[in-house]
Amino acid sequence: MSTRSFIPIFLFIATFSLALGMTMPLMNVSRLYLFDENPSLLGIIRSLWTGGDWLLASVVGVFSVILPVTKLAVAQLAAARIPAASHVLHRWIGFLSKWSMLDVLLVALVIFGAKTSGLATAIAQPGLWFFTASAILSALATHLIIREENIA
């Protein structure tokens, strides 16, 4: 089995994991042992936006939703080997790959901030693991796509 055959598998699982990572709870936040919340990534962004933190909601939305979705879409187009767009798609993959783990770092900082505030405890939930799996699998897939392009 060649590495070329792993690319669609990685991209499929990464796309599925990203959808789950955005919609499933990222963390369980307990405040003063009385109030529990299980926010998803999209729920956090919505809460920030409705709470008036538009800039923070925009930054989280761009780096945790728009960039990962764009990266997966470009990687899937590049994996389809469209000759006319191949060079442009590979340049975009290179650009988007530079930002690939920033989304996971951003979510980890949110959890760290909740844990260190002293008023709340935060425990990672399945959404965080799916979100992380998506970032890692898309990074692997784009690495294989770029490597394949360099070999050809």
Side-chain angles (χ1 to χ4, degrees), residues 108-133:
L109 286 173
V110 169
I111 293 174
F112 176 76
K115 282 186 172 189
T116 59
S117 69
L119 299 175
T121 59
I123 300 168
Q125 294 291 301
L128 178 64
W129 303 119
F130 280 113
F131 193 74
T132 303

Side-chain angles (χ1 to χ4, degrees), residues 81 86 90 145-152:
R81 291 183 153 182
S86 179
H90 284 86
I145 291 167
I146 290 169
R147 191 178 91 178
E148 186 178 278
E149 174 71 16
N150 291 339
I151 291 172

